[in-house]
Amino acid sequence: MSIAVYPGSFDPVTFGHLDVVERGAKVFDRVIVAVLQNRSKSPLFTIEERVALLKKTTFHLPNVEVDSFNGLLIDYMHSKNAKAIIKGLRAVSDFEYEMQMALINKNLDPSIETFFMMTNTQYSFLSSSIVKEIAKYGAPVGDLVPKVVEEALRLKFQQGE
Ligand code: PNS
């Protein structure tokens, strides 16, 4: 069985992420969306909130599950017996950083492969940071994130985050 891990911060999940998850789920038997916990940058959503939003928005995909992890991605891969890392690439600007991560991971364990998926051009400008920036000022983000995420952002900024 081919198990792939799609790691990230997902703060919060966007239509760009979901496009990658849906396409990945057609290629691999099982896809684990893994949310990183111990990020130095302080996230807007807690780990529980990010996982819950991902669970709600991937509910329709039977071979997709959502989890969180701490520490090195490679160690997490081993714990799940997963051999493939899925990453989305939006533009050339993503490439250098992603290549560095792929090479570090390859160096740590040569048996694990990173698979890059080109993000749908429709979402090539989209990032969680941009969504947060727009939502913070009360502008609509309904074409960038699912309804539940839009609502969660609204509540977050209402609370004066
Ligand atoms: O959505 P992001 O923030 O671009 O995701 C980055 C992520 C979580 C994939 C990356 O930071 C990661 O894999 N972190 C785990 C720590 C690790 O394994 N570091 C060494 C390889 S870069």
Side-chain angles (χ1 to χ4, degrees), residues 7-10 17 34 36 38-39 41 69 71-74 87 97-98 100-101 104-105 108:
S9 305
F10 304 103
H17 296 130
L36 179 64
N38 60 342
R39 207 70 212 268
K41 59 181 181 193
F69 76 105
L72 286 180
L73 176 60
I74 284 293
K87 296 306 288 284
Y97 176 65
E98 292 297 344
Q100 188 186 14
M101 284 212 282
I104 291 170
N105 287 327
L108 291 170

Side-chain angles (χ1 to χ4, degrees), residues 3 19 31 36 38 63 66 70 88 146 149 152 155 157:
I3 306 172
D19 174 55
V31 174
L36 179 64
N38 60 342
N63 60 335
V66 183
N70 254 315
V149 178
L155 288 173
F157 287 119

Side-chain angles (χ1 to χ4, degrees), residues 46-58:
T46 65
I47 185 72
E48 292 81 13
E49 288 169 332
R50 284 179 279 153
V51 166
L53 288 173
L54 273 161
K55 281 189 176 162
K56 282 181 193 160
T57 50
T58 58

Side-chain angles (χ1 to χ4, degrees), residues 29-122:
D29 295 324
R30 202 173 138 207
V31 174
I32 304 170
V33 183
V35 189
L36 179 64
Q37 290 190 34
N38 60 342
R39 207 70 212 268
S40 44
K41 59 181 181 193
S42 59
L44 176 65
F45 291 97
T46 65
I47 185 72
E48 292 81 13
E49 288 169 332
R50 284 179 279 153
V51 166
L53 288 173
L54 273 161
K55 281 189 176 162
K56 282 181 193 160
T57 50
T58 58
F59 189 71
H60 59 295
L61 301 166
N63 60 335
V64 172
E65 59 202 81
V66 183
D67 193 15
S68 58
F69 76 105
N70 254 315
L72 286 180
L73 176 60
I74 284 293
D75 292 334
Y76 179 74
M77 300 290 295
H78 293 156
S79 75
K80 292 287 164 184
N81 201 19
K83 289 284 175 204
I85 300 167
I86 302 177
K87 296 306 288 284
L89 275 185
R90 284 167 301 195
V92 180
S93 49
D94 281 342
F95 184 77
E96 203 169 323
Y97 176 65
E98 292 297 344
M99 190 176 85
Q100 188 186 14
M101 284 212 282
L103 292 177
I104 291 170
N105 287 327
K106 190 101 212 141
N107 196 267
L108 291 170
D109 183 344
S111 76
I112 289 178
E113 292 293 341
T114 300
F115 290 82
F116 289 106
M117 290 179 54
M118 298 305 299
T119 303
N120 192 316
T121 48
Q122 197 185 342

